[in-house]
Amino acid sequence: ISLGRHLTEPVAWAAVLAGLWYARERRWAPAAAALTVAVLGRETSLVVVAGLGVAALWRALSAPPAPAAGGVLVATRREVRALAWLAVPVVVAVAWQLVLAQVWGVLPVRSGGPTNFGGWPVLGVLGSLADDVPGGAAVTLVVTAERVGVLALFGYAGWALATRRARLPAGEVVAWGLAVAMALALTAWSTDVQFLRAGNEAIGLTVLVALADRTRTGRWALLLAAAMAAGVGLEYTIRQ
């Protein structure tokens, strides 16, 4: 869908993957550069930056206050350095919003009409699984199945993380939680593509959870994600 209409999601997600890889290597300067590209492509990528930042802040605050040692100070300085670099994409994103606001007369994040956030989280999504789908009964059935598949992947990832079947760095776990909360906070998953756009970061991070799960369940989750991707591509090829 993104290749046919725009490049927002693939560009942003490629940059997020690069940022996460650099973050795992604790190479914060290139991580900040990659995440800056991500948030300029898609502002919601900030949930990934926030997840990494929360984890770094927690590590800095939970360091033992002992006089012991320079090791504690060194560890704390590392986390402070990580936080400083993670502030870069946030500052750049805010600055770019302000620049565009001067050009357009309105903040870009507010230029898309009424927000779809509000109401009861999750319930709005559950109540709209078969709503607002262009096409006949067959298309409605396929898109509804895709939406249910997304929810199934979210449920699987939450279970895999809670039971420690899949182990990800703490920052990625927090980012996953924020991304899923954002996707489920919409009043509805309206139109045939919004559920994919709303869940872009959450779906991507869920796939990372499945990759970290070496059990059969993880392989089934990956198969579901791959089948959904292929199905959506086939659906749009036929409909176009």
Side-chain angles (χ1 to χ4, degrees), residues 96-113:
W96 184 236
Q97 290 280 317
L98 295 176
V99 168
L100 293 181
Q102 292 296 315
V103 176
W104 295 344
V106 62
L107 282 171
V109 294
R110 302 187 62 184
S111 64

Side-chain angles (χ1 to χ4, degrees), residues 110-129:
R110 302 187 62 184
S111 64
T115 179
N116 193 27
F117 287 99
W120 292 99
V122 183
L123 295 182
V125 169
L126 291 176
S128 62
L129 289 179

Side-chain angles (χ1 to χ4, degrees), residues 8-210:
T8 298
E9 282 81 14
V11 169
W13 185 246
V16 165
L17 285 177
L20 291 178
W21 187 83
Y22 284 123
R24 289 185 179 189
E25 299 289 315
R26 304 194 65 81
R27 297 171 60 186
W28 294 109
L35 292 171
T36 298
V37 172
V39 300
L40 288 176
R42 181 176 157 90
E43 293 90 343
T44 51
S45 298
L46 283 168
V47 295
V48 177
V49 181
L52 296 175
V54 167
L57 180 62
W58 174 258
R59 287 192 296 267
L61 295 177
S62 61
V72 172
L73 290 176
V74 169
T76 302
R77 286 173 184 166
R78 286 176 180 168
E79 302 309 330
V80 171
R81 181 171 174 268
L83 287 168
W85 279 113
L86 289 171
V88 171
V90 178
V91 171
V92 171
V94 171
W96 184 236
Q97 290 280 317
L98 295 176
V99 168
L100 293 181
Q102 292 296 315
V103 176
W104 295 344
V106 62
L107 282 171
V109 294
R110 302 187 62 184
S111 64
T115 179
N116 193 27
F117 287 99
W120 292 99
V122 183
L123 295 182
V125 169
L126 291 176
S128 62
L129 289 179
D131 291 349
D132 197 18
V133 180
V139 175
T140 298
L141 179 63
V142 170
V143 174
T144 301
E146 292 165 356
R147 294 174 178 179
V148 172
V150 170
L151 292 177
L153 286 173
F154 290 168
Y156 152 75
W159 170 76
L161 291 171
T163 59
R164 298 185 177 274
R165 296 171 71 93
R167 294 179 180 270
L168 291 180
E172 294 178 28
V173 175
V174 176
W176 176 86
L178 294 174
V180 170
M182 180 177 65
L184 297 181
L186 301 182
T187 55
W189 279 354
S190 59
T191 78
D192 57 340
V193 298
Q194 188 187 61
F195 74 101
L196 290 173
R197 300 201 71 192
N200 185 69
E201 291 81 13
I203 294 169
L205 290 165
T206 294
V207 170
L208 294 186
V209 173

